[in-house]
Amino acid sequence: MMQNPSTVSQESAPLFDLVAQVGRFAFSSRFFNSSSDECSSFKSNYLYFDSFKSSIGQRKRNCKVSAASSFSLRSGKGSSSVGSFNVSRIVNEFNKAIKFHCERLPIGFASVGINSSERNGIRDENGGVLEDEGLPLNGIENDQPKKVLILMSDTGGGHRASAEAIKAAFHEKFGNEYQVFVTDLWSDHTPWPFNQLPRSYNFLVKHGPLWKMTYYGTAPRVIHQSNFAATSTFIAREVAKGLMKYQPDIIISVHPLMQHVPLRILRAKGLLKKIVFTTVITDLSTCHPTWFHKLVTRCYCPTADVAKRAMKAGLQASQIKVYGLPVRPSFVKPVRPKVELRRELGMDEDLPAVLLMGGGEGMGPIEATAWALGNALYDENLGEPIGQVLVICGRNKKLANKLLSTDWKIPVQVKGFVTKMEEAMGACDCIITKAGPGTIAEAMIRGLPIILNDFIAGQEAGNVPYVVENGCGKFSKSPKEIANMVSQWFGPKMDELKAMSQNALKLARPDAVFRIVQDLHELVRQRNFVPHYSCVT
């Protein structure tokens, strides 16, 4: 057991026993490896407390790592009573620890040893470690493909969709000039339990109050910065190894939890001026404060509202660009005639059509809404349909089979997971969906009036007024009310449908993804060095 040399009374001993145990756990033997290619990674692996005479971890020149922890408290002048150790002192010590972690990283970036098979073609036959030295350009430009690393996480489908859109835009605009890699940083490059982030998110979202508490509870800066500081103690080494695997020239974050730890790693190694680190925000209005970090080279905002939030968070105007939300490049291309698209999808060529979807997982009240539409779009007096429905069930095969087996009074086409969403939207006249930012942005590009039937608390809450107040659609959670809206649009309120379509087109930014990659290209060209990797044994 660790000895506790504290001079305060025994009532405070449990506190220091707890601190000692946390210190022993955080800096256990799994963080210390005396192998030749890893010993240098603990050059800065120290934890200091101004009021605690301690240091945890020490690196010797022979690369043998040893760790010792001791905690002692300097008592007040001439006093060792319990009263001198008050709540204010505890808070001060905690704040000092958090400030230290926010300014210092317990790992050197280039000290991470990786296997030669993980280096994307950069070989090291001597078993050394790659180090980014950085050489002046002197008018000579590197002819090797630049490497782009996109950081995302499968917490909802929007982050991966934006990542894939950026990757496709790089390929379409610059060809082989860039190599683009997409990685789920938390799932692929962190240990348990941090690699369970997507699963945890899905659980929280399904239990609305839990997600709402998590979202708003972590919004204050003091809370999320403390969380990131503590988390980096456990995952910094794995994340640094993941970044070194790709040797990126550009790092793009499309997730709010992908800024803080990677930027701390880059700053510790002095790579902030060498690697372009940018954030592409994928929320249209309300967005979590963790999206914003002052050390990014560029922050791409989809709307002016988000740009205002970035300014309020402390970013400079030169760091912020408002280009729109990146969507698949296929949405930029001219849409084929509606009649042709409907024919390919097996739809009626003449009847107005509504697109009903619930995301990649086919979630939401799709079945109830489809039934309501089936009744509302059938004219009992005329004995014929006044509209048709295209249902996208995503990966929900059970729902798709159930809808396919239904005897409908109106034309209904049921599809599973659709890869060419631009064609499905191009065949319809309006859309019913939850308030996902990607779907909203794509619908606006196609000029589809939007009926929002649900939203996730927090990041999607602001999307509802964004659509409604800009005259692009309506909101309702009632399947019957939604069906009546559509029947009115396909009948006496056809002019309202056309007006909303025009409003949607005015807000659309179809070229957003290409403007983003072009700006990234210019940022790389402006750098005054070529990354050069040398082998350090």
Side-chain angles (χ1 to χ4, degrees):
M1 291 290 294
M2 281 186 174
Q3 297 299 320
N4 184 0
S6 174
T7 59
V8 299
S9 64
Q10 289 297 319
E11 290 185 30
S12 62
L15 172 64
F16 290 100
D17 288 341
L18 175 61
V19 173
Q21 293 300 325
V22 172
R24 176 176 294 181
F25 173 74
F27 295 91
S28 61
S29 58
R30 69 183 292 272
F31 288 94
F32 298 92
N33 191 320
S34 59
S35 62
S36 61
D37 64 337
E38 296 178 354
C39 62
S40 61
S41 66
F42 297 95
K43 183 175 181 179
S44 58
N45 197 1
Y46 299 96
L47 177 62
Y48 296 106
F49 293 88
D50 291 343
S51 299
F52 290 85
K53 295 177 180 179
S54 65
S55 63
I56 302 178
Q58 187 175 11
R59 174 181 176 270
K60 295 184 178 182
R61 292 187 178 182
N62 59 2
C63 293
K64 293 181 179 179
V65 181
S66 62
S69 300
S70 64
F71 293 86
S72 63
L73 177 69
R74 291 201 298 263
S75 60
K77 185 175 181 180
S79 175
S80 60
S81 64
V82 177
S84 65
F85 190 78
N86 52 26
V87 174
S88 177
R89 189 180 182 93
I90 295 175
V91 172
N92 288 337
E93 300 304 335
F94 175 78
N95 288 338
K96 288 177 183 178
I98 293 305
K99 182 179 180 181
F100 165 79
H101 275 292
C102 289
E103 295 178 352
R104 189 160 183 152
L105 183 73
I107 189 168
F109 185 69
S111 63
V112 180
I114 56 177
N115 297 328
S116 59
S117 60
E118 299 177 328
R119 291 176 184 157
N120 299 316
I122 302 178
R123 300 179 180 178
D124 174 18
E125 298 177 354
N126 297 321
V129 180
L130 297 178
E131 186 175 78
D132 186 355
E133 296 178 350
L135 298 179
L137 263 178
N138 295 327
I140 302 175
E141 189 167 349
N142 188 6
D143 59 355
Q144 295 296 320
K146 302 291 190 301
K147 293 183 179 180
V148 180
L149 177 61
I150 304 177
L151 307 179
M152 51 73 65
S153 184
D154 283 313
T155 52
H159 302 294
R160 181 174 289 276
S162 293
E164 294 296 340
I166 294 171
K167 180 178 180 179
F170 265 111
H171 178 72
E172 188 167 322
K173 192 171 183 67
F174 300 108
N176 296 328
E177 193 172 342
Y178 287 90
Q179 285 183 291
V180 184
F181 307 93
V182 178
T183 184
D184 187 331
L185 189 66
W186 288 90
S187 295
D188 299 339
H189 301 293
T190 63
W192 187 92
F194 306 101
N195 58 8
Q196 300 299 306
L197 177 66
R199 185 177 298 180
S200 301
Y201 172 82
N202 293 333
F203 172 81
L204 291 171
V205 167
K206 289 179 181 178
H207 300 80
L210 287 178
W211 170 248
K212 197 171 183 179
M213 181 178 64
T214 302
Y215 184 91
Y216 292 106
T218 57
R221 179 174 296 184
V222 66
I223 300 297
H224 64 251
Q225 282 191 349
S226 302
N227 288 341
F228 282 123
T231 300
S232 65
T233 302
F234 297 94
I235 69 173
R237 176 170 177 76
E238 286 80 2
V239 171
K241 182 177 180 179
L243 297 179
M244 282 297 293
K245 173 182 177 181
Y246 299 98
Q247 302 290 343
D249 299 281
I250 305 172
I251 297 178
I252 306 170
S253 168
V254 295
H255 195 281
L257 302 184
M258 299 295 170
Q259 278 77 236
H260 296 261
V261 175
L263 280 168
R264 193 172 286 120
I265 292 172
L266 297 182
R267 179 173 59 180
K269 185 55 184 174
L271 293 175
L272 287 176
K273 298 295 184 181
K274 298 182 179 181
I275 295 177
V276 175
F277 193 105
T278 64
T279 299
V280 177
I281 298 178
T282 59
D283 291 325
L284 290 173
S285 182
T286 48
C287 48
H288 200 272
T290 50
W291 273 113
F292 307 112
H293 200 293
K294 296 179 182 179
L295 294 181
V296 297
T297 309
R298 193 80 86 218
C299 180
Y300 298 102
C301 301
T303 62
D305 288 342
V306 175
K308 291 178 182 178
R309 293 176 184 272
M311 293 285 287
K312 189 175 181 180
L315 275 72
Q316 302 298 314
S318 60
Q319 294 175 284
I320 301 170
K321 295 290 184 181
V322 184
Y323 288 154
L325 191 76
V327 299
R328 284 163 280 201
S330 55
F331 272 87
V332 181
K333 300 176 182 177
V335 63
R336 289 190 291 155
K338 186 168 292 186
V339 173
E340 183 180 331
L341 293 173
R342 289 178 175 178
R343 189 183 303 123
E344 288 186 3
L345 293 169
M347 302 170 64
D348 186 283
E349 296 180 10
D350 300 316
L351 286 174
V354 55
L355 176 61
L356 174 60
M357 58 183 295
E361 304 303 323
M363 299 174 63
I366 296 180
E367 184 180 357
T369 305
W371 276 102
L373 287 169
N375 294 325
L377 296 182
Y378 185 79
D379 191 321
E380 295 288 350
N381 296 326
L382 298 176
E384 61 183 25
I386 61 172
Q388 60 182 322
V389 184
L390 174 60
V391 187
I392 307 296
C393 298
R395 301 180 184 87
N396 195 333
K397 294 181 180 180
K398 182 179 179 180
L399 174 63
N401 292 333
K402 192 171 184 179
L403 294 178
L404 284 170
S405 62
T406 301
D407 186 18
W408 301 96
K409 294 187 293 184
I410 65 172
V412 175
Q413 284 295 320
V414 180
K415 305 294 181 182
F417 190 83
V418 175
T419 56
K420 295 183 178 181
M421 187 57 66
E422 67 277 5
E423 294 185 356
M425 289 188 178
C428 296
D429 299 285
C430 62
I431 183 173
I432 303 169
T433 181
K434 79 178 191 69
T439 304
I440 291 174
E442 291 173 349
M444 287 180 173
I445 293 173
R446 284 290 171 257
L448 294 183
I450 307 165
I451 298 179
L452 300 175
N453 59 4
D454 200 5
F455 63 90
I456 297 174
Q459 69 268 32
E460 290 183 358
N463 296 347
V464 176
Y466 178 77
V467 169
V468 175
E469 293 174 6
N470 282 294
C472 301
K474 297 182 177 182
F475 172 76
S476 176
K477 287 190 174 183
S478 168
K480 186 176 181 180
E481 185 177 341
I482 290 171
N484 288 333
M485 289 178 187
V486 176
S487 66
Q488 291 291 309
W489 280 352
F490 290 174
K493 292 187 177 181
M494 182 68 73
D495 290 341
E496 181 180 89
L497 182 71
K498 293 179 180 178
M500 287 188 171
S501 176
Q502 291 300 315
N503 291 336
L505 289 171
K506 291 177 183 176
L507 278 182
R509 293 174 178 255
D511 61 343
V513 68
F514 287 108
R515 295 185 68 186
I516 289 172
V517 298
Q518 180 62 44
D519 190 62
L520 287 167
H521 177 68
E522 295 298 329
L523 286 174
V524 172
R525 293 185 62 184
Q526 290 170 10
R527 295 292 178 174
N528 60 353
F529 73 97
V530 175
H532 176 72
Y533 299 95
S534 64
C535 189
V536 180
T537 57

